[in-house]
Amino acid sequence: MTFQRKKIIENYVHAYNHFDIEGMVQNMDENIIFENITDGKVDLRTEGLKQFVQQATAAKAYFDCRNQQIETWDFLEATVKISISYKAILAIDLPNGMKAGDSLEMRGTSIFAFADGKIIRLTDKS
């Protein structure tokens, strides 16, 4: 089980880094719940594969390139938590004052919840 989940997550991160939405969702449940949490507050939530794909498609336009690097793994009963380093170069100006061409670097965690070999919940925290 651990090997299978690790492979699914590695495939997801690889697809994410290459803007491959089809690859990102290949192991997601139809009812996937995605949350992005920044400074302890949920700033984005999608419910269902369709909403996730819509958000992922929109997010592609924000970056010229992006890279998640997995640093650590924590395998629990029904979840896997990874710590990541994240680097990206913006393709557009953002409301927070960052400009196209600016580099974005941060660390965070992603928690993948599984059922029946599929990702049923993904929570990104930074």
Side-chain angles (χ1 to χ4, degrees):
M1 190 64 75
T2 298
F3 176 79
Q4 178 189 17
R5 290 178 179 174
K6 183 175 184 186
K7 192 70 178 156
I8 288 170
I9 292 169
E10 288 173 337
N11 289 342
Y12 171 84
V13 170
H14 178 80
Y16 177 90
N17 289 343
H18 291 88
F19 299 95
D20 175 9
I21 295 170
E22 186 176 312
M24 290 169 61
V25 302
Q26 73 179 353
N27 292 297
M28 288 187 172
D29 187 80
E30 279 293 319
N31 298 309
I32 180 81
I33 294 174
F34 170 75
E35 288 185 330
N36 190 79
I37 300 173
T38 307
D39 296 326
K41 296 181 182 174
V42 176
D43 55 10
L44 175 65
R45 179 182 169 94
T46 65
E47 295 183 24
L49 200 55
K50 184 177 178 181
Q51 281 186 7
F52 182 89
V53 167
Q54 288 171 340
Q55 173 56 33
T57 301
K60 284 173 52 170
Y62 301 166
F63 306 103
D64 280 333
C65 62
R66 63 187 184 187
N67 185 37
Q68 286 186 1
Q69 182 71 40
I70 301 171
E71 296 183 341
T72 64
W73 296 83
D74 188 12
F75 294 90
L76 305 169
E77 191 165 322
T79 63
V80 179
K81 178 179 174 182
I82 60 172
S83 64
I84 60 161
S85 60
Y86 180 83
K87 296 178 182 180
I89 297 177
L90 294 175
I92 62 169
D93 295 346
L94 296 179
N96 67 2
M98 294 187 78
K99 302 288 184 197
D102 285 354
S103 291
L104 178 64
E105 292 188 31
M106 68 178 110
R107 295 200 178 294
T109 59
S110 293
I111 302 165
F112 294 80
F114 288 87
D116 299 322
K118 296 280 190 178
I119 302 166
I120 60 169
R121 185 179 196 99
L122 172 54
T123 304
D124 288 340
K125 296 181 179 182
S126 60

